[in-house]
Amino acid sequence: MKKLLITLIVLVVAGGAAWFFLLRPEMISQETLTQDFETHRQAYEDVAYYLTKKKITTEITDIPISGKQYEGVEFEDTDEYRAFMDGIMVIMQEDHDAIISDGRTVEFVYHSTGGKFRKLYGSVIYNGFSSVDGKVTVPLTTDGWHLYIAQG
């Protein structure tokens, strides 16, 4: 009886771990990303418009820290720069892994939460055009904002 109980406990723990790492549900969906975009739209706009207006190529992967500079981003004592930095703070405190800019397109990459077999890659993209090269997207607005979700 004792061996049976130990075997059962081991199976339950192993099954739970397998479910967590392999089959855990993904939180990324078109609805959740659209809602997040609408909730934080001003922050998205401040960051995207600053990066595209200045044609900055950079990859931001963490929140702003006093004295830290992002590659390609120069400090400015302007309201536009402060709004940009505040926007980064708002966005990176949410479920984002990175903000990637090539100077023309800005991609806000969400953190995937699903298990190995259910992982999705999601992002909000701004380029100011009606489509994004190389990706099948859903338009979020008519002024160049797109939603992109793919298998991770």
Side-chain angles (χ1 to χ4, degrees):
M1 184 66 169
K2 189 175 180 180
K3 287 183 182 181
L4 181 64
L5 186 57
I6 291 172
T7 302
L8 185 61
I9 290 172
V10 168
L11 286 174
V12 167
V13 169
W19 172 85
F20 182 80
F21 289 110
L22 300 176
L23 301 172
R24 179 179 32 151
E26 179 65 72
M27 299 302 294
I28 291 177
S29 70
Q30 185 170 340
E31 294 79 26
T32 58
L33 297 189
T34 301
Q35 181 179 5
D36 183 65
F37 173 75
E38 291 300 328
T39 302
H40 303 293
R41 183 170 181 165
Q42 188 62 52
Y44 281 98
E45 288 178 349
D46 290 341
V47 172
Y49 295 158
Y50 185 84
L51 292 171
T52 56
K53 180 181 177 186
K54 303 277 185 179
K55 297 188 183 342
I56 296 172
T57 299
T58 190
E59 184 170 337
I60 299 168
T61 58
D62 57 2
I63 61 173
I65 299 171
S66 180
K68 179 180 177 10
Q69 290 289 105
Y70 296 113
E71 186 177 331
V73 180
E74 297 296 323
F75 172 79
E76 295 178 16
D77 190 17
T78 63
D79 290 338
E80 193 175 49
Y81 179 79
R82 282 187 283 282
F84 164 71
M85 292 303 279
D86 289 344
I88 291 173
M89 181 68 87
V90 167
I91 291 168
M92 293 307 289
Q93 284 179 340
E94 295 296 317
D95 295 328
H96 290 80
D97 283 341
I99 300 170
I100 303 167
S101 172
D102 65 4
R104 295 179 316 273
T105 300
V106 181
E107 184 171 7
F108 301 86
V109 181
Y110 283 83
H111 177 71
S112 180
T113 59
K116 179 91 170 141
F117 297 139
R118 300 188 70 182
K119 206 169 266 303
L120 292 177
Y121 169 85
S123 62
V124 169
I125 301 170
Y126 173 76
N127 66 357
F129 299 105
S130 61
S131 65
V132 177
D133 290 340
K135 295 182 180 180
V136 177
T137 62
V138 174
L140 283 170
T141 66
T142 58
D143 60 345
W145 288 94
H146 308 272
L147 177 64
Y148 176 69
I149 298 177
Q151 288 289 83

